[in-house]
Amino acid sequence: MDQLARAAALLGAGIAMGIGALGPGIGEGFVAGKACEGIARAPEHASLITRTMLVGQAVSESTGIYSLVIALLLIFST
Amino acid sequence: MIFTMETIQIAAFLGAALSVGIASITCGMGVGYIASAASYGIMRQPDSHDKLFRAMFIGQAVTETGGIFSLVIALLLMFGGFDVVEGGWFRFAALLSAGIAVGLGSLGPVTGAGYAGGQACHAISRMPRQSNSILGYMLIGQALAQTSSIFALLVSLLLLYSTPLQDSIPNLTAGHILLRSVAYIGAGLAIGIGTIGPGVGIGNVAGKGCRMIGKFPRQKSHIMRTMFLGAAVSQSTAIYALVVSFLLIFSVK
């Protein structure tokens, strides 16, 4: 029974990281796409746009990192 | 449950079917999007039909890569000599998971590469004189988007060729067999689903980049830099998924 629970945790780790990477990946790509548009239209504000893009992506990344943490916890601490 | 030849064949054939079946969904959509954009472009600029046709053809070839990866894995699963009983449940799980990994893993990258190719065709129809540089940026963007499908192919090949066979490990309990088999399935799901987001995201970056180079060709260097930076950050979640897959394959004892 103990092994069954551990097996469920391992499967859960895979599913958590897999689905958890969906959102951040699409979201960050969306941010960067809009930043490309913005910089093309207003190249004089390139540094400002790049900074905003990176901050936005970092915040968007956080849920991906949560998934990674949960996946690692499920692999190593169960 | 008794393990027979049929049991391992079930895994191999199911894996092969899932691999090409899932991958074809977005392969068709992505390649079709490029063709539709090229057709629309030729309507707007009939004189530049050769440039648009070339961009469409190259873009479709790169987009199709994800589908070809799935086909290769499906053929390996069916004819690669995996239908032997020795592997046991380890091999059952690894074969099934290899198919799932590369099938799901090409969903996102192919969508992304298709979007990039379509936007590049739109950009060329807007500014045919820039077609060579737009084509170059399209290829770079599509290559970035396809990176995550290469991760999925890598995990799939690892599952096929470098997972241990059940008989090679002495004193296995039923619990251990269950644990490792489920870990292999988990590894395939992690990299398979995990590459969908980054693939779509990077494709969006590359597509917007190509479109904007078509509109503002003088801002090439700025756009290129932002495209690379954004794509790299977007790729990070695929790398997390790759790490988790490797851990599930190699560190579960």
Side-chain angles (χ1 to χ4, degrees), chain A residues 3-78:
Chain A
Q3 296 283 2
L4 189 64
R6 200 147 175 246
L10 293 176
L11 189 63
I15 295 177
M17 192 59 242
I19 301 181
L22 264 177
I26 297 179
E28 285 163 14
F30 189 74
V31 175
K34 284 287 175 196
C36 277
E37 271 187 24
I39 285 179
R41 285 178 203 279
E44 66 274 16
H45 295 137
S47 63
L48 197 63
I49 295 173
T50 309
R51 203 175 64 196
T52 314
M53 177 189 90
L54 283 177
V55 172
Q57 285 185 323
V59 178
S60 182
E61 184 69 48
S62 57
T63 48
I65 296 172
Y66 300 160
S67 311
L68 180 67
V69 169
I70 294 295
L72 292 179
L73 283 176
L74 283 171
I75 294 175
F76 291 114
S77 78
T78 48

Side-chain angles (χ1 to χ4, degrees), chain B residues 90-115:
Chain B
F90 281 13
R91 179 162 266 178
F92 182 89
L95 293 183
L96 193 57
S97 180
I100 294 175
V102 79
L104 286 175
S106 50
L107 278 179
V110 165
T111 314
Y115 181 74

Side-chain angles (χ1 to χ4, degrees), chain B residues 151-206:
Chain B
F151 290 170
L153 180 71
L154 176 68
V155 168
S156 191
L157 288 174
L158 281 177
L159 282 166
L160 287 184
Y161 290 108
S162 81
T163 48
L165 301 181
Q166 195 174 311
D167 325 281
S168 65
I169 304 169
N171 307 325
L172 271 180
T173 62
H176 278 114
I177 294 172
L178 175 74
L179 209 59
R180 277 233 198 166
S181 309
V182 169
Y184 292 157
I185 302 273
L189 284 175
I191 193 70
I193 308 176
T195 52
I196 297 178
V200 174
I202 295 172
N204 189 35
V205 182

